[in-house]
Amino acid sequence: MKLLLLGGTSFVGRAIAEEALRSSVDLTIFSRGVTGNELFPSVPRLVGDRATGDYSALRDGGSWDAVVDVSGYVPRQVGQTLDALGDRFGRYVFISSHAVYERSGAVAGDDEDAALRPAVRDTEELVEETYGPLKVACEQDLRTALGDRVTIVRPCKVAGPHDTSDSFTYWARRAARGGRVVLPGHPEQPVALVDSRDLAGLTVRLVLDDRAGAFNAVGESTTLGELIHLCADVAGSSVEVVPVPEGSGGPFFPLVRAREIWPGLQRSTARAVAAGLPRTPLAQTAADVLAWDRARGLPPLTTGFTLAEEAALLA
């Protein structure tokens, strides 16, 4: 099995590359060559840049049984990739997102056939309002071009070591410190997380099985309050969760979501589980994230409260 991975040196792509190599897949990586150059030294690298449209390395030859697209965010990137590859590949696995689903009218237990948001094609600005609709446009273009040769994976929020978004890491680190923990939201809010390694396991399984369709990649069911306590238990600390009004931490506080989209955080994973989605216990994910965070020296996080901000709210 020859696999071309578009991306592969940061977080999700890194996990997929590791899983592919464990599965004895003949892997090639196409990436910018900016980060992670020390990873996977035996894997052939093709250097290009999807942001600028540099696909010359893909046009120079080579063929693959499958392509996994981790770094496609806008329709132009998908179209240019298909043009560069021509007929030199088999299945195309596109890593999409839960953000493609229509938020109004969602019901807990909705599956992959639920309504999608209207596609957006007139911008390449990736913000909250456009991220999901741009992914919808990518999905549509791939289905039109490839039919049953395309596979869509729709992960929820991905957690695990090497996560550069810091969303899960914030709660793991904060819970490990213990004490009174400020939550600008509701402890009973559902949380949809998937371990990056489980997402990788599902993706590689779909490639090996040459399986078409769309699949929701979601891990263990929990709530935000339960997640904070679980992270504390893993770290050997104890916490008291102190809810404060929504918005106290800004519009994009880690893992906090508005009540109207809670049903969309409880989608069915039956199809993905039947296709081979692994289920790493959330406690193991938390332990591994804490170990990775400590090993990297606990650098300042890019999201969440500072100690001073949290102290001010507690006061």
Side-chain angles (χ1 to χ4, degrees), residues 52-260:
T52 63
D54 178 11
Y55 293 87
S56 55
L58 288 185
R59 298 182 188 276
D60 289 341
S63 62
W64 296 272
D65 298 299
V67 175
V68 172
D69 187 349
V70 179
S71 57
Y73 297 100
V74 300
R76 173 185 59 82
Q77 294 170 335
V78 167
Q80 290 176 337
T81 299
L82 294 179
D83 288 343
L85 290 173
D87 61 357
R88 295 178 288 111
F89 70 97
R91 177 155 304 283
Y92 197 108
V93 181
F94 182 68
I95 306 300
S96 186
S97 168
H98 259 41
V100 300
Y101 289 112
E102 187 65 70
R103 293 175 176 177
S104 62
V107 176
D110 276 349
D111 65 11
E112 292 84 352
D113 298 324
L116 303 184
R117 300 167 73 179
V120 165
R121 301 177 185 278
D122 59 356
T123 182
E124 291 194 354
E125 184 182 13
L126 293 170
V127 294
E128 178 73 10
E129 295 77 18
T130 62
Y131 181 84
L134 283 166
K135 285 282 193 178
V136 173
C138 292
E139 289 189 17
Q140 291 177 349
D141 289 356
L142 285 166
R143 290 187 187 277
T144 298
L146 302 176
D148 285 343
R149 289 169 56 204
V150 66
T151 302
I152 307 295
V153 181
R154 295 172 181 155
C156 56
K157 176 61 186 173
V158 186
H162 313 291
D163 177 11
T164 56
S165 77
D166 289 337
S167 294
F168 182 87
T169 308
Y170 171 79
W171 290 115
R173 187 189 294 187
R174 178 60 193 87
R177 196 168 70 243
R180 302 178 73 205
V181 177
V182 171
L183 170 59
H186 304 275
E188 70 272 22
Q189 177 208 301
V191 173
L193 294 170
V194 63
D195 190 293
S196 57
R197 297 157 296 189
D198 293 345
L199 173 57
L202 172 64
T203 301
V204 173
R205 187 72 263 157
L206 293 170
V207 167
L208 294 174
D209 291 346
D210 194 29
R211 188 187 292 262
F215 301 87
N216 288 332
V218 186
E220 182 180 335
S221 176
T222 190
T223 67
L224 196 44
E226 290 169 346
L227 174 68
I228 297 169
H229 281 283
L230 178 144
C231 289
D233 290 344
V234 167
S237 62
S238 60
V239 294
E240 175 192 353
V241 177
V242 182
V244 296
E246 285 184 70
S248 301
F252 303 112
F253 199 82
L255 303 184
V256 174
R257 300 293 182 265
R259 186 180 290 272
E260 57 265 25

